[in-house]
Every structure is written in C-alpha cells, then in structure tokens.
Amino acid sequence: MPPTVSFRICFPLIIITLLPAALTYAQGTKSDYTRAKNLPRLLSGKVFKDRINPDWRTPTQFWYRLNLPNRKTQFILVDAAIPSRKLAFDHARLAAALTKLTKRKFNPNQLSIEAIHPSANPNQLQLRLASKGYLLNLKTYTLTSIDPPAKPKPQPRRRRGGWPRQPTSSRRSNTSPDRKWSLTIQNHNLYLIENATKSKTQLTTDGSEKAQYSPNAYFSPNSKKIIAIRTIPAQRHTVYRIESSPKDQVQPKLHARNYLKPGDRIAIPRPILIDIPTKKIIPVNDTLFRNPWRLSEFRWAKDSSRFTFLHNQRGHQILRIVAINPNTGAATPLIDEVSKTFIDYAYKQFKYYLDNTNEIIWMSERDGHNHLYLYNAKTGKVKNRITKGKWVVRRVLRV
C-alpha cells in the first residue's frame, strides 16, 4: 500500500505549497499598485482636441483655445452665422508683432491669449494678453495698445453625472398661483381648502399608507387644475451581511439593510389630474408610464393648455415626454425615445423647451452618435437635426 500512503501525504503538501502563490497573485505586488497609482499621470496629455470651452463674444461668434501635443496652442474663431471655423490669426506673425512691440520674445506655439473679441472692422481683432489690450490689424499685423477686452466668461459648472440643469420643471407647491386655494393631507388623502372661507373639500378617497399623496402638487398657471402625485412605495427587501471582526467586540455582528433586487417592486408614482372649479378628478390613462423607473421634469405650459413630464421606463430602454390634456386627461407621447439596448439617461440626456417658438431641443443616440434634434413641441415631430456627423455632442452650454 505504499503508493496510497505516499499520495495521501504528498497531496496536502502540494496544496500548502500552492496557496501562498495563489494568494499573492490575487492581492497583487507592490509594483502592481505603483503602476495603478501612476496610471492617471501616464495617460495625462495623451488625448487632444477632445473638448471645446467656447467664449462667446457676440451672439454668433466665439473663440476657444486648442491644446496640442508638445505644449502647442492654437486659437480658433467660430462664426455660427456663416458658418465658419478658422484660426483666429496667424500665430507666427502675431508672435513677431508682439516681440517687436514689447521687446520680449514670444513663442508662436505658446501664446497666452486671455481674450479675443471681434472688432466692427472684419480686418481687426481685439486681444487681451498679460492683462493688456491690443488692436490687431489682420492685414498688416500691426498692434496698437488699447483698453483690454473682458476676461473669458467662466464656464457653467457641470452637475456630477450629467449636463448643466435646464429650467424645465414647474415648481411644486401646496398653494395655487392666485393664492385662493391650498392643499393639505388628512388620513392620507388630499383636501382642497378655499383660503378666503377656510372651507375644506375632500378630493381623493384612495390614499393610504400603501398609496401616499404628497401635499405639494403642480398647480396650473391659471389656478384651475392640479397635478397631484400619488406614490405606491417600494417594497422592502431586507438583506444581511456579517461583520466578522468588529472593532468593539469579539463576536461577529449581523447588519441588516433594505436593498431592492431585480424584479422587486420599486416606488410607482402616478400623476392625478384634479379640476378645481368642480373639485373632481379627471381620469388619466397610465398606459404610457405604467412601469416607471422615474417620473420627472413635471411642467405646465405657460398658458395652462398642457402638462408634460419625462418618463424613464424601468430597464432604461424607453425615455419619453408624456403630454396630458388638462381638459380630458388624455395622455399622449410627445417625444418617444426607444432603444433595444440601453438609453444613457444619466450622461447623455438633454432637453430644452423653447416656449416662444413651441419647440424642444432633444438629445439622442438613435443614429449611433450622440446628437441634437429640434422637435415641434405641439406635434412631437422632428423639424430638423441640429447636429450631425461621426462625432458626438459632449456638452450643451447656454450662451
């Protein structure tokens, strides 16, 4: 039986020998961590022409600085009315003119221009350099000292995880715009109070702990309609974890928290339309927003003719603007963005309502690239594409 005995003795020895190597590989070596720590520094300065920070000087013209390899810079002037994009000036000739005027050496590839302003004369530019102003003749490249143009405008700060927020939402309140009516909650239901007489009318009867109304609602601008929000809370799903080595005791600790899993019921909000003169609820068909991940961007039209909101369907394959008729309660899709895979609602979503022209600017990846589209806000039809090409819109800034 020696072979059997030998096998039983050697097998544990092999396992013991291999374990430290396996553990070392899983944890990584000191050099691995050093490389990971230095990764941002190693990658820094390897990507160029990836962003534009425009400084608008007229309603149609802006300039920006372009950083290039080897610390080179270029200054670009854009006129959206023509449209045109070109070098703002001949960098070598400007450097020579600055050197001649100031008696200091200027590198044409590293000019520190602080501001560029188009002049009324198309053959002239106003420049700001080292807090001093110059008028540049683009034909002769002669410089004249002037009062410096204003400094570049600070760029809007980006929200974490998204674009600069646009003012598209109506304000939630428990008081109507004309101050005649107020909402309150009693026994989970909505009551309407006439402020002058303090008389109270119960509006809803289906409120409960499992279907909660918010006392803050969206009153129409003419104070005749209310969109209230009734929410069925998310279910509770308790998950547990064990803290094996707590600092304050020898025995392990059991921790519990509420953590929803795929398939669990999340919170389900529903807009409820209420007519103030009759104090009646107008039914709204929820077919278009039956399974929401989130409802947001609630918005009354200025003339109270329509109420809209953004529906992000659970699974993030449908993103639509839903319009509700305040007289009939009919819900129709105004903009319907559908994807077989995923809609990046966090980083690639932008919308802006142009009320004066009844239009909406909408962002979409429908053609494989992230671009902007102009919609007719009444019909929901695309009027035209704003941007197009094998490139993507990264940011949208208000001028």
Side-chain angles (χ1 to χ4, degrees):
M1 300 295 293
T4 306
V5 174
S6 174
F7 179 80
R8 289 179 178 176
I9 293 174
C10 292
F11 183 74
L13 292 177
I14 293 173
I15 295 298
I16 292 171
T17 303
L18 292 177
L19 273 175
L23 290 174
T24 302
Y25 176 79
Q27 293 178 349
T29 64
K30 182 178 180 180
S31 62
D32 292 332
Y33 286 102
T34 301
R35 286 199 307 274
K37 183 179 179 180
N38 292 333
L39 186 61
R41 179 180 61 82
L42 294 173
L43 295 179
S44 178
K46 300 297 190 296
V47 179
F48 302 94
K49 298 185 179 181
D50 64 322
R51 64 191 62 202
I52 294 175
N53 290 317
D55 181 11
W56 290 87
R57 288 292 154 167
T58 73
T60 62
Q61 293 175 312
F62 68 87
W63 69 273
Y64 65 93
R65 173 178 175 147
L66 198 60
N67 294 321
L68 300 172
N70 302 318
R71 297 185 178 180
K72 293 183 179 180
T73 57
Q74 288 182 345
F75 295 87
I76 309 298
L77 191 63
V78 176
D79 192 328
I82 298 177
S84 69
R85 175 189 177 276
K86 61 183 180 180
L87 289 174
F89 41 75
D90 185 314
H91 290 58
R93 293 183 69 183
L94 177 59
L98 286 167
T99 300
K100 181 179 179 180
L101 179 67
T102 63
K103 310 304 180 184
R104 292 169 43 217
K105 183 67 176 177
F106 282 84
N107 185 340
N109 294 319
Q110 296 178 351
L111 295 173
S112 299
I113 304 296
E114 298 169 357
I116 301 174
H117 201 297
S119 175
N121 186 337
N123 294 318
Q124 293 179 338
L125 277 181
Q126 296 180 33
L127 305 176
R128 181 187 179 99
L129 179 69
S131 299
K132 295 182 179 180
Y134 301 95
L135 183 65
L136 172 65
N137 187 309
L138 293 171
K139 285 190 172 181
T140 63
Y141 273 79
T142 55
L143 288 169
T144 306
S145 295
I146 59 171
D147 290 334
K151 293 182 179 180
K153 302 174 185 177
Q155 297 300 315
R157 295 184 62 183
R158 291 179 64 185
R159 293 187 294 121
R160 183 179 180 182
W163 309 97
R165 185 177 294 279
Q166 302 289 340
T168 57
S169 297
S170 294
R171 186 175 63 90
R172 294 180 73 172
S173 176
N174 67 343
T175 306
S176 63
D178 61 7
R179 317 301 296 177
K180 292 182 179 180
W181 308 95
S182 296
L183 284 176
T184 188
I185 297 288
Q186 287 187 7
N187 298 321
H188 304 291
N189 280 294
L190 280 176
Y191 284 75
L192 184 67
I193 301 174
E194 188 175 5
N195 294 332
T197 63
K198 303 301 180 183
S199 63
K200 187 184 300 182
T201 303
Q202 183 173 350
L203 297 175
T204 66
T205 58
D206 57 351
S208 67
E209 291 185 359
K210 296 182 179 180
Q212 302 171 0
Y213 281 96
S214 169
N216 292 324
Y218 299 94
F219 283 85
S220 62
N222 61 11
S223 299
K224 293 183 178 180
K225 296 289 192 301
I226 302 171
I227 292 287
I229 304 300
R230 176 177 177 266
T231 303
I232 299 175
Q235 72 176 80
R236 291 195 62 82
H237 189 139
T238 305
V239 296
Y240 301 91
R241 64 181 178 89
I242 296 175
E243 186 180 1
S244 63
S245 306
K247 295 181 180 180
D248 58 344
Q249 66 184 47
V250 176
Q251 297 299 323
K253 284 184 178 179
L254 179 65
H255 298 273
R257 60 171 294 192
N258 183 46
Y259 185 84
L260 297 180
K261 297 293 188 70
D264 288 348
R265 189 190 74 240
I266 60 177
I268 302 175
R270 289 286 185 267
I272 307 298
L273 176 61
I274 301 169
D275 182 67
I276 293 180
T278 64
K279 301 179 179 59
K280 301 293 183 180
I281 292 178
I282 302 174
V284 176
N285 190 323
D286 64 0
T287 302
L288 294 174
F289 48 93
R290 191 160 291 167
N291 188 25
W293 168 259
R294 187 186 180 203
L295 301 183
S296 61
E297 304 286 356
F298 297 99
R299 190 176 191 272
W300 277 102
K302 290 183 178 181
D303 60 0
S304 302
S305 63
R306 185 169 64 183
F307 183 83
T308 59
F309 59 89
L310 183 68
H311 165 62
N312 183 358
Q313 185 162 293
R314 188 173 186 175
H316 313 302
Q317 292 178 306
I318 293 178
L319 192 68
R320 66 167 55 108
I321 294 180
V322 178
I324 295 178
N325 185 315
N327 297 316
T328 65
T332 56
L334 190 59
I335 296 180
D336 226 3
E337 192 73 28
V338 180
S339 172
K340 294 181 179 179
T341 54
F342 177 79
I343 296 173
D344 192 344
Y345 64 94
Y347 293 94
K348 296 176 182 177
Q349 181 197 145
F350 178 84
K351 76 200 72 64
Y352 193 84
Y353 292 80
L354 303 169
D355 291 322
N356 292 335
T357 57
N358 288 312
E359 295 169 323
I360 301 173
I361 298 174
W362 179 263
M363 179 179 285
S364 170
E365 288 187 289
R366 65 189 61 175
D367 70 349
H369 297 83
N370 203 40
H371 283 297
L372 299 175
Y373 297 78
L374 185 66
Y375 274 80
N376 184 314
K378 288 187 174 181
T379 65
K381 302 295 183 182
V382 176
K383 296 184 68 174
N384 59 266
R385 295 185 59 151
I386 299 175
T387 61
K388 182 180 180 181
K390 293 183 178 181
W391 49 276
V392 298
V393 175
R394 296 184 68 250
R395 287 191 294 167
V396 181
L397 304 177
R398 294 185 64 198
V399 180

